[in-house]
Amino acid sequence: MQGSLFDWTPPCRMIVFPMSRRVGRIRDVAVKMLDKPTDRAATFYRDQVTDGILKQMVKARISEAEQDEQLGAFWQAVQAEMIRLTYCGHGTGGGAA
């Protein structure tokens, strides 16, 4: 005997909120990266952040390919924010006369 139409459940798919759109997290990480006194400290912090993000995505059963894509986009956004913060106020815009 076949089940009824009401017994069918469609397959579900996890949709990840894009890591590159997590502006608060991106800004926080960028500021902390810039505050690190050495490259070694910055690398250690980056590894900690990466590990935490990956653990969250694994727990949510996000595919490895999606993890790689999201993580890469996150770190690109962090780098762009670090550049913005570094050069903020150093532009060629109008100044006091």
Coordinates of all heavy atoms in Angstrom, one line a residue:
M1 N 0.8 -1.2 0.0 CA 0.0 0.0 0.0 C 0.9 1.2 0.0 O 1.8 1.3 0.8 CB -0.9 0.0 1.2 CG -1.8 1.2 1.3 SD -2.9 1.0 2.8 CE -3.1 2.7 3.1
Q2 N 0.6 2.2 -0.9 CA 1.3 3.4 -0.9 C 0.8 4.4 0.1 O -0.3 4.4 0.5 CB 1.2 4.1 -2.3 CG 2.0 3.4 -3.4 CD 1.9 4.2 -4.7 OE1 1.0 5.0 -4.9 NE2 2.8 3.9 -5.6
G3 N 1.7 5.2 0.6 CA 1.4 6.3 1.5 C 0.6 7.4 0.8 O 0.7 7.5 -0.4
S4 N -0.1 8.2 1.6 CA -0.8 9.3 1.0 C 0.1 10.4 0.7 O 1.2 10.5 1.2 CB -2.0 9.7 1.9 OG -1.5 10.4 3.0
L5 N -0.4 11.4 0.0 CA 0.4 12.6 -0.4 C 0.7 13.3 0.9 O 1.8 14.0 1.0 CB -0.5 13.5 -1.3 CG 0.1 14.8 -1.7 CD1 1.4 14.6 -2.4 CD2 -0.8 15.6 -2.5
F6 N -0.1 13.2 1.9 CA 0.2 13.9 3.2 C 1.3 13.3 4.0 O 1.8 13.9 5.0 CB -1.1 14.0 4.0 CG -2.2 14.8 3.3 CD1 -3.3 14.2 2.7 CD2 -2.1 16.2 3.1 CE1 -4.3 14.9 2.0 CE2 -3.0 16.9 2.4 CZ -4.1 16.2 1.9
D7 N 1.7 12.1 3.7 CA 2.8 11.4 4.4 C 4.1 11.8 3.8 O 5.2 11.6 4.4 CB 2.6 9.9 4.2 CG 1.5 9.3 5.0 OD1 1.0 10.0 6.0 OD2 1.0 8.3 4.6
W8 N 4.2 12.4 2.7 CA 5.4 12.8 2.0 C 6.0 14.1 2.6 O 5.3 15.1 2.9 CB 5.1 13.1 0.5 CG 6.4 13.5 -0.2 CD1 7.4 12.7 -0.7 CD2 6.7 14.8 -0.7 NE1 8.3 13.4 -1.3 CE2 7.9 14.7 -1.4 CE3 6.1 16.0 -0.5 CZ2 8.5 15.8 -1.9 CZ3 6.7 17.1 -1.1 CH2 7.9 17.0 -1.8
T9 N 7.2 14.1 2.9 CA 7.9 15.3 3.4 C 9.0 15.6 2.4 O 9.8 14.7 2.0 CB 8.5 15.1 4.8 OG1 9.4 14.0 4.8 CG2 7.4 15.0 5.8
P10 N 9.1 16.8 1.9 CA 10.1 17.2 0.9 C 11.5 17.2 1.6 O 11.6 17.4 2.8 CB 9.7 18.6 0.5 CG 8.9 19.2 1.7 CD 8.2 18.0 2.3
P11 N 12.5 17.0 0.8 CA 13.8 17.0 1.4 C 14.1 18.5 1.8 O 13.7 19.4 1.1 CB 14.7 16.6 0.2 CG 13.9 16.8 -1.0 CD 12.5 16.7 -0.6
C12 N 14.9 18.6 2.8 CA 15.2 20.0 3.3 C 16.7 20.3 3.0 O 17.5 19.4 2.9 CB 14.9 20.1 4.8 SG 15.9 19.1 5.8
R13 N 16.9 21.5 2.8 CA 18.3 22.0 2.5 C 18.6 23.1 3.4 O 17.8 24.1 3.6 CB 18.4 22.4 1.1 CG 19.8 22.9 0.7 CD 19.8 23.2 -0.8 NE 21.1 23.7 -1.1 CZ 21.3 24.9 -1.7 NH1 20.3 25.6 -2.1 NH2 22.6 25.3 -1.9
M14 N 19.8 23.1 4.1 CA 20.2 24.2 4.9 C 20.7 25.3 4.1 O 21.5 25.1 3.2 CB 21.4 23.7 5.8 CG 22.0 24.7 6.7 SD 20.9 25.2 8.1 CE 20.9 23.8 9.1
I15 N 20.2 26.5 4.3 CA 20.6 27.7 3.6 C 21.4 28.5 4.6 O 20.9 28.9 5.7 CB 19.4 28.5 3.1 CG1 18.6 27.6 2.1 CG2 19.9 29.8 2.5 CD1 17.4 28.3 1.6
V16 N 22.7 28.7 4.3 CA 23.6 29.4 5.2 C 23.5 30.9 5.0 O 23.4 31.4 3.8 CB 25.0 29.0 4.9 CG1 26.0 29.7 5.8 CG2 25.2 27.5 5.0
F17 N 23.4 31.7 6.1 CA 23.4 33.1 6.0 C 24.9 33.4 5.6 O 25.8 33.0 6.2 CB 23.1 33.8 7.3 CG 23.0 35.3 7.2 CD1 21.9 35.9 6.7 CD2 24.1 36.1 7.6 CE1 21.8 37.3 6.6 CE2 24.0 37.5 7.5 CZ 22.9 38.0 7.0
P18 N 25.0 34.2 4.5 CA 26.4 34.4 3.9 C 27.3 35.0 5.0 O 27.0 36.0 5.6 CB 26.2 35.4 2.8 CG 24.7 35.2 2.4 CD 24.0 34.9 3.7
M19 N 28.5 34.4 5.2 CA 29.5 34.8 6.1 C 30.0 36.2 5.7 O 30.3 37.0 6.6 CB 30.7 33.9 6.2 CG 30.4 32.5 6.8 SD 29.9 32.6 8.5 CE 31.3 33.3 9.3
S20 N 30.0 36.5 4.4 CA 30.5 37.8 4.0 C 29.5 39.0 4.3 O 29.8 40.1 4.1 CB 30.7 37.8 2.5 OG 29.5 37.5 1.8
R21 N 28.3 38.6 4.8 CA 27.3 39.6 5.2 C 27.2 39.8 6.7 O 26.3 40.6 7.1 CB 25.9 39.2 4.6 CG 25.9 39.1 3.1 CD 25.9 40.4 2.4 NE 25.6 40.2 1.0 CZ 26.2 40.9 0.1 NH1 27.1 41.8 0.4 NH2 25.9 40.6 -1.2
R22 N 28.0 39.1 7.4 CA 28.0 39.2 8.9 C 28.9 40.4 9.3 O 30.0 40.2 9.8 CB 28.4 37.9 9.5 CG 27.4 36.8 9.2 CD 27.9 35.5 9.8 NE 26.9 34.5 9.4 CZ 26.8 33.3 10.0 NH1 27.6 33.0 11.0 NH2 25.9 32.5 9.6
V23 N 28.3 41.6 9.0 CA 29.1 42.8 9.1 C 29.7 43.0 10.5 O 30.8 43.4 10.7 CB 28.2 44.0 8.7 CG1 29.0 45.3 8.9 CG2 27.8 43.9 7.3
G24 N 28.9 42.8 11.6 CA 29.4 43.0 12.9 C 30.5 42.0 13.2 O 31.5 42.5 13.8
R25 N 30.4 40.8 12.9 CA 31.5 39.8 13.1 C 32.8 40.2 12.3 O 33.9 40.1 12.8 CB 31.0 38.4 12.7 CG 32.0 37.3 12.9 CD 32.1 36.9 14.4 NE 33.1 35.9 14.7 CZ 33.0 34.6 14.7 NH1 31.9 34.1 14.3 NH2 34.1 33.9 15.0
I26 N 32.5 40.6 11.1 CA 33.7 41.0 10.2 C 34.4 42.2 10.8 O 35.6 42.2 10.9 CB 33.1 41.3 8.8 CG1 32.7 40.0 8.1 CG2 34.2 42.0 7.9 CD1 31.9 40.2 6.8
R27 N 33.7 43.2 11.2 CA 34.3 44.4 11.8 C 35.1 44.0 13.1 O 36.2 44.5 13.3 CB 33.3 45.5 12.1 CG 32.8 46.1 10.8 CD 31.8 47.2 11.1 NE 31.4 47.8 9.8 CZ 30.2 48.5 9.7 NH1 29.4 48.7 10.7 NH2 29.9 49.0 8.5
D28 N 34.4 43.2 13.9 CA 35.1 42.8 15.2 C 36.4 42.1 14.9 O 37.4 42.4 15.5 CB 34.1 42.0 16.0 CG 34.7 41.5 17.3 OD1 35.0 42.4 18.1 OD2 34.8 40.3 17.5
V29 N 36.4 41.1 14.0 CA 37.6 40.4 13.7 C 38.6 41.3 13.1 O 39.8 41.2 13.4 CB 37.2 39.2 12.8 CG1 38.5 38.5 12.3 CG2 36.4 38.1 13.5
A30 N 38.2 42.2 12.2 CA 39.2 43.1 11.5 C 39.9 43.9 12.6 O 41.1 44.1 12.5 CB 38.5 43.9 10.5
V31 N 39.1 44.5 13.5 CA 39.7 45.3 14.5 C 40.7 44.5 15.4 O 41.8 45.0 15.7 CB 38.6 46.0 15.4 CG1 39.2 46.6 16.7 CG2 37.8 47.0 14.6
K32 N 40.3 43.3 15.8 CA 41.2 42.5 16.6 C 42.4 42.1 15.8 O 43.5 42.0 16.4 CB 40.4 41.3 17.1 CG 39.4 41.7 18.2 CD 38.6 40.5 18.7 CE 37.6 40.9 19.7 NZ 36.7 39.8 20.1
M33 N 42.3 41.8 14.5 CA 43.4 41.4 13.7 C 44.4 42.6 13.7 O 45.6 42.4 13.8 CB 43.0 41.0 12.3 CG 42.3 39.7 12.2 SD 43.4 38.3 12.4 CE 44.3 38.3 10.9
L34 N 43.9 43.8 13.5 CA 44.8 45.0 13.4 C 45.5 45.3 14.8 O 46.5 45.9 14.8 CB 44.0 46.2 12.9 CG 43.6 46.1 11.4 CD1 42.6 47.3 11.1 CD2 44.8 46.2 10.5
D35 N 44.8 44.9 15.8 CA 45.4 45.2 17.2 C 46.4 44.1 17.6 O 47.1 44.4 18.6 CB 44.2 45.2 18.2 CG 43.4 46.4 18.2 OD1 43.9 47.4 17.6 OD2 42.3 46.4 18.8
K36 N 46.6 43.1 16.9 CA 47.6 42.1 17.2 C 49.0 42.6 17.1 O 49.3 43.3 16.0 CB 47.4 40.8 16.4 CG 46.1 40.1 16.6 CD 45.9 39.7 18.0 CE 44.5 39.1 18.3 NZ 44.2 39.0 19.7
P37 N 49.9 42.4 18.0 CA 51.2 43.1 18.0 C 52.2 42.4 17.0 O 53.1 43.1 16.6 CB 51.7 42.9 19.4 CG 51.0 41.7 20.0 CD 49.6 41.7 19.3
T38 N 51.9 41.2 16.7 CA 52.9 40.5 15.7 C 52.1 39.7 14.7 O 50.9 39.4 14.9 CB 53.8 39.5 16.5 OG1 52.9 38.5 17.1 CG2 54.6 40.2 17.6
D39 N 52.8 39.4 13.6 CA 52.1 38.5 12.6 C 51.8 37.1 13.2 O 50.8 36.5 12.8 CB 53.1 38.3 11.4 CG 53.2 39.5 10.5 OD1 52.3 40.4 10.7 OD2 54.1 39.6 9.7
R40 N 52.6 36.7 14.1 CA 52.4 35.4 14.7 C 51.1 35.4 15.5 O 50.3 34.5 15.5 CB 53.6 35.0 15.6 CG 53.5 33.6 16.2 CD 54.7 33.3 17.0 NE 54.6 31.9 17.5 CZ 55.4 31.4 18.4 NH1 56.5 32.1 18.7 NH2 55.2 30.2 18.8
A41 N 50.9 36.5 16.3 CA 49.7 36.6 17.1 C 48.4 36.7 16.2 O 47.4 36.1 16.5 CB 49.7 37.8 18.0
A42 N 48.6 37.4 15.1 CA 47.5 37.6 14.1 C 47.1 36.2 13.5 O 46.0 35.9 13.3 CB 47.8 38.6 13.0
T43 N 48.2 35.5 13.1 CA 47.9 34.1 12.5 C 47.3 33.2 13.5 O 46.3 32.5 13.2 CB 49.3 33.5 12.1 OG1 49.9 34.4 11.1 CG2 49.1 32.1 11.5
F44 N 47.7 33.3 14.8 CA 47.1 32.4 15.8 C 45.6 32.8 16.0 O 44.7 31.9 16.1 CB 47.8 32.6 17.1 CG 47.3 31.7 18.3 CD1 47.6 30.4 18.3 CD2 46.5 32.3 19.3 CE1 47.1 29.6 19.3 CE2 46.0 31.5 20.3 CZ 46.2 30.1 20.3
Y45 N 45.3 34.1 16.0 CA 43.9 34.6 16.1 C 43.1 34.1 14.9 O 42.0 33.7 15.1 CB 43.9 36.1 16.3 CG 42.5 36.6 16.4 CD1 41.6 36.3 17.5 CD2 41.9 37.4 15.4 CE1 40.3 36.8 17.6 CE2 40.6 37.9 15.5 CZ 39.8 37.6 16.6 OH 38.5 38.0 16.6
R46 N 43.7 34.3 13.7 CA 43.0 33.9 12.5 C 42.6 32.4 12.6 O 41.5 32.0 12.2 CB 43.8 34.2 11.3 CG 43.1 33.8 10.0 CD 44.1 34.0 8.8 NE 43.5 33.4 7.6 CZ 43.0 34.2 6.6 NH1 43.0 35.5 6.7 NH2 42.5 33.6 5.6
D47 N 43.6 31.6 13.0 CA 43.3 30.1 13.1 C 42.2 29.8 14.1 O 41.4 29.0 13.9 CB 44.6 29.4 13.6 CG 45.6 29.4 12.5 OD1 45.3 29.7 11.3 OD2 46.8 29.1 12.8
Q48 N 42.2 30.6 15.3 CA 41.1 30.4 16.2 C 39.7 30.7 15.7 O 38.8 30.0 15.8 CB 41.3 31.3 17.5 CG 42.4 30.8 18.4 CD 42.6 31.7 19.6 OE1 42.6 33.0 19.4 NE2 42.6 31.2 20.8
V49 N 39.7 31.9 14.9 CA 38.4 32.3 14.3 C 38.0 31.3 13.3 O 36.8 30.9 13.2 CB 38.5 33.7 13.7 CG1 37.3 34.1 12.9 CG2 38.7 34.7 14.8
T50 N 38.9 30.8 12.5 CA 38.6 29.9 11.4 C 38.1 28.6 12.0 O 37.1 28.0 11.6 CB 39.8 29.6 10.6 OG1 40.2 30.8 9.9 CG2 39.6 28.5 9.5
D51 N 38.7 28.1 13.1 CA 38.3 26.9 13.7 C 36.9 27.0 14.3 O 36.1 26.1 14.1 CB 39.3 26.5 14.9 CG 39.0 25.2 15.5 OD1 38.9 24.2 14.7 OD2 38.9 25.1 16.7
G52 N 36.6 28.1 14.9 CA 35.3 28.3 15.5 C 34.2 28.4 14.4 O 33.1 27.8 14.6
I53 N 34.5 29.0 13.3 CA 33.5 29.1 12.2 C 33.3 27.7 11.6 O 32.1 27.3 11.3 CB 34.0 30.1 11.1 CG1 33.9 31.5 11.7 CG2 33.1 30.0 9.9 CD1 34.6 32.6 10.8
L54 N 34.4 27.0 11.4 CA 34.2 25.6 10.8 C 33.4 24.7 11.7 O 32.6 23.9 11.3 CB 35.6 25.1 10.5 CG 36.3 25.6 9.3 CD1 37.7 25.1 9.2 CD2 35.5 25.4 8.0
K55 N 33.7 24.8 13.1 CA 32.9 24.0 14.0 C 31.4 24.3 13.9 O 30.6 23.3 14.0 CB 33.4 24.2 15.4 CG 34.7 23.5 15.7 CD 35.2 23.7 17.1 CE 36.5 23.0 17.3 NZ 37.1 23.2 18.7
Q56 N 31.1 25.6 13.8 CA 29.7 25.9 13.7 C 29.0 25.3 12.4 O 27.9 24.8 12.4 CB 29.5 27.4 13.6 CG 29.7 28.1 15.0 CD 29.7 29.6 14.8 OE1 29.7 30.2 13.7 NE2 29.6 30.3 16.0
M57 N 29.8 25.4 11.3 CA 29.3 24.9 10.0 C 29.2 23.4 10.0 O 28.2 22.8 9.4 CB 30.1 25.5 8.9 CG 29.8 26.9 8.6 SD 30.4 27.6 7.1 CE 32.2 27.8 7.4
V58 N 30.1 22.7 10.6 CA 30.1 21.3 10.7 C 28.9 20.8 11.5 O 28.1 19.9 11.1 CB 31.4 20.7 11.3 CG1 31.2 19.2 11.7 CG2 32.5 20.9 10.3
K59 N 28.7 21.5 12.6 CA 27.5 21.2 13.5 C 26.2 21.4 12.7 O 25.2 20.7 12.9 CB 27.5 22.1 14.7 CG 26.5 21.7 15.8 CD 26.7 22.6 17.0 CE 25.6 22.2 18.0 NZ 25.8 23.0 19.3
A60 N 26.2 22.4 11.8 CA 25.0 22.7 11.0 C 24.9 21.8 9.8 O 24.0 21.9 9.0 CB 24.9 24.1 10.6
R61 N 25.9 20.9 9.7 CA 25.9 19.9 8.5 C 26.1 20.6 7.2 O 25.5 20.2 6.2 CB 24.7 19.0 8.6 CG 24.7 18.1 9.8 CD 23.6 17.1 9.8 NE 23.7 16.3 11.0 CZ 22.8 15.4 11.2 NH1 21.8 15.2 10.4 NH2 22.9 14.6 12.3
I62 N 26.9 21.6 7.1 CA 27.1 22.3 5.9 C 28.2 21.6 5.1 O 29.2 21.1 5.7 CB 27.6 23.8 6.2 CG1 26.7 24.5 7.1 CG2 27.9 24.5 4.9 CD1 25.3 24.7 6.6
S63 N 28.0 21.4 3.8 CA 29.0 20.6 3.0 C 30.4 21.3 3.1 O 30.5 22.5 3.3 CB 28.5 20.5 1.6 OG 28.6 21.8 0.9
E64 N 31.4 20.5 2.8 CA 32.8 21.0 2.8 C 32.9 22.1 1.8 O 33.6 23.1 2.0 CB 33.8 19.9 2.7 CG 34.0 19.1 3.9 CD 35.2 18.1 3.8 OE1 36.2 18.5 3.2 OE2 35.0 17.0 4.3
A65 N 32.4 21.8 0.6 CA 32.5 22.8 -0.5 C 31.9 24.2 -0.1 O 32.5 25.2 -0.3 CB 31.8 22.3 -1.7
E66 N 30.7 24.1 0.6 CA 30.1 25.3 1.0 C 30.9 26.0 2.2 O 31.0 27.2 2.3 CB 28.6 25.0 1.5 CG 27.8 26.3 1.9 CD 27.4 27.2 0.8 OE1 27.5 26.7 -0.4 OE2 27.0 28.3 1.1
Q67 N 31.5 25.2 3.0 CA 32.3 25.7 4.1 C 33.5 26.5 3.5 O 33.8 27.6 4.0 CB 32.8 24.5 5.0 CG 31.8 23.9 5.8 CD 32.4 22.7 6.6 OE1 33.6 22.7 7.0 NE2 31.6 21.7 6.8
D68 N 34.1 25.9 2.6 CA 35.3 26.5 1.9 C 34.9 27.9 1.3 O 35.6 28.9 1.5 CB 35.9 25.6 0.9 CG 36.6 24.4 1.4 OD1 36.9 24.4 2.7 OD2 36.9 23.5 0.7
E69 N 33.8 27.9 0.6 CA 33.3 29.1 -0.1 C 32.9 30.2 0.9 O 33.4 31.3 0.8 CB 32.0 28.7 -0.9 CG 31.6 29.9 -1.7 CD 30.4 29.5 -2.6 OE1 30.3 28.4 -3.1 OE2 29.5 30.4 -2.8
Q70 N 32.2 29.8 2.0 CA 31.8 30.8 3.0 C 33.0 31.3 3.8 O 33.1 32.5 4.1 CB 30.8 30.1 4.0 CG 29.5 29.8 3.3 CD 28.7 31.1 2.8 OE1 28.8 32.1 3.5 NE2 28.1 31.0 1.7
L71 N 33.9 30.4 4.1 CA 35.1 30.8 4.9 C 36.0 31.8 4.0 O 36.4 32.8 4.5 CB 35.9 29.6 5.3 CG 36.9 29.8 6.4 CD1 36.3 30.4 7.7 CD2 37.6 28.5 6.7
G72 N 36.2 31.5 2.8 CA 36.9 32.3 1.9 C 36.3 33.7 1.8 O 37.0 34.7 1.8
A73 N 35.0 33.7 1.6 CA 34.3 35.0 1.5 C 34.4 35.8 2.8 O 34.5 37.0 2.7 CB 32.8 34.8 1.1
F74 N 34.3 35.1 3.9 CA 34.4 35.8 5.2 C 35.8 36.5 5.3 O 35.9 37.7 5.6 CB 34.2 34.8 6.3 CG 34.4 35.4 7.7 CD1 33.5 36.2 8.3 CD2 35.6 35.2 8.4 CE1 33.7 36.8 9.5 CE2 35.8 35.7 9.6 CZ 34.9 36.5 10.2
W75 N 36.8 35.8 5.0 CA 38.2 36.3 5.2 C 38.5 37.4 4.2 O 39.2 38.3 4.4 CB 39.2 35.2 5.2 CG 39.2 34.5 6.5 CD1 38.9 33.2 6.8 CD2 39.6 35.1 7.8 NE1 39.0 33.0 8.1 CE2 39.4 34.1 8.8 CE3 40.0 36.3 8.2 CZ2 39.7 34.3 10.1 CZ3 40.3 36.5 9.6 CH2 40.1 35.5 10.5
Q76 N 37.9 37.3 3.0 CA 38.0 38.4 2.0 C 37.4 39.7 2.5 O 37.9 40.8 2.4 CB 37.4 38.0 0.7 CG 38.2 37.1 -0.1 CD 37.6 36.7 -1.5 OE1 36.4 36.8 -1.6 NE2 38.4 36.2 -2.4
A77 N 36.2 39.5 3.2 CA 35.5 40.7 3.7 C 36.3 41.2 4.9 O 36.3 42.5 5.1 CB 34.1 40.2 4.2
V78 N 36.9 40.4 5.7 CA 37.7 40.9 6.8 C 38.9 41.6 6.3 O 39.2 42.7 6.8 CB 38.2 39.7 7.7 CG1 39.2 40.2 8.7 CG2 37.0 39.1 8.5
Q79 N 39.5 41.1 5.3 CA 40.7 41.8 4.7 C 40.3 43.2 4.1 O 41.0 44.2 4.3 CB 41.3 41.0 3.6 CG 42.5 41.6 3.0 CD 43.2 40.8 1.9 OE1 42.7 39.8 1.5 NE2 44.4 41.1 1.5
A80 N 39.1 43.2 3.4 CA 38.7 44.5 2.9 C 38.4 45.5 4.0 O 38.7 46.7 3.9 CB 37.4 44.3 2.1
E81 N 37.8 45.0 5.1 CA 37.5 45.9 6.3 C 38.8 46.4 6.9 O 38.9 47.5 7.4 CB 36.6 45.1 7.3 CG 36.3 45.9 8.5 CD 35.4 47.2 8.3 OE1 34.9 47.3 7.1 OE2 35.2 48.0 9.2
M82 N 39.8 45.5 7.0 CA 41.1 45.9 7.6 C 41.7 47.0 6.7 O 42.3 48.0 7.3 CB 42.0 44.7 7.7 CG 41.6 43.7 8.8 SD 42.6 42.2 8.7 CE 44.2 42.7 9.0
I83 N 41.6 46.9 5.4 CA 42.1 47.9 4.5 C 41.4 49.2 4.7 O 42.0 50.3 4.9 CB 42.1 47.4 3.1 CG1 43.1 46.3 2.9 CG2 42.3 48.6 2.1 CD1 42.9 45.6 1.5
R84 N 40.1 49.1 4.8 CA 39.2 50.3 5.0 C 39.6 51.0 6.3 O 39.8 52.2 6.4 CB 37.7 49.9 5.1 CG 36.8 51.1 5.1 CD 35.4 50.7 5.3 NE 35.1 50.3 6.7 CZ 35.0 51.1 7.7 NH1 35.1 52.4 7.5 NH2 34.8 50.7 8.9
L85 N 39.8 50.2 7.4 CA 40.1 50.8 8.7 C 41.5 51.4 8.7 O 41.7 52.4 9.3 CB 40.0 49.7 9.8 CG 38.6 49.2 10.1 CD1 38.7 48.0 11.0 CD2 37.8 50.3 10.8
T86 N 42.4 50.8 8.0 CA 43.8 51.2 7.9 C 43.9 52.6 7.2 O 44.6 53.5 7.6 CB 44.7 50.2 7.2 OG1 44.7 49.0 8.0 CG2 46.1 50.7 7.2
Y87 N 43.1 52.7 6.1 CA 43.2 53.9 5.3 C 42.1 54.9 5.6 O 42.1 56.0 5.0 CB 43.3 53.6 3.9 CG 44.5 52.8 3.5 CD1 44.5 51.4 3.3 CD2 45.7 53.5 3.5 CE1 45.7 50.7 3.0 CE2 46.9 52.8 3.2 CZ 46.9 51.4 3.0 OH 48.0 50.7 2.7
C88 N 41.3 54.6 6.6 CA 40.2 55.5 6.9 C 40.8 56.9 7.3 O 41.6 56.9 8.2 CB 39.3 54.9 8.0 SG 37.9 55.9 8.4
G89 N 40.3 57.9 6.7 CA 40.9 59.3 7.1 C 42.1 59.6 6.3 O 42.6 60.7 6.5
H90 N 42.7 58.7 5.5 CA 43.9 59.0 4.8 C 43.7 59.3 3.3 O 44.6 59.3 2.5 CB 44.9 57.9 5.0 CG 45.4 57.8 6.4 ND1 44.8 56.9 7.3 CD2 46.4 58.3 7.0 CE1 45.4 57.0 8.4 NE2 46.4 57.9 8.3
G91 N 42.4 59.5 3.0 CA 42.0 59.6 1.6 C 42.4 61.0 1.1 O 43.0 61.9 1.8
T92 N 42.1 61.3 -0.2 CA 42.4 62.5 -0.8 C 41.2 63.5 -0.8 O 41.2 64.5 -1.5 CB 42.9 62.3 -2.3 OG1 41.8 61.6 -3.0 CG2 44.2 61.5 -2.3
G93 N 40.2 63.1 0.0 CA 39.0 63.9 0.0 C 39.2 65.3 0.5 O 40.4 65.6 0.9
G94 N 38.2 66.1 0.6 CA 38.3 67.5 1.0 C 38.8 67.6 2.4 O 38.5 66.8 3.3
G95 N 39.6 68.6 2.6 CA 40.1 68.9 3.9 C 39.8 70.3 4.3 O 39.1 71.1 3.6
A96 N 40.2 70.7 5.5 CA 39.9 72.1 6.0 C 40.8 73.1 5.2 O 41.9 72.8 4.9 CB 40.2 72.2 7.4
A97 N 40.2 74.2 4.8 CA 40.9 75.2 4.0 C 41.6 76.2 4.9 O 41.2 76.5 6.0 CB 40.0 75.9 3.1

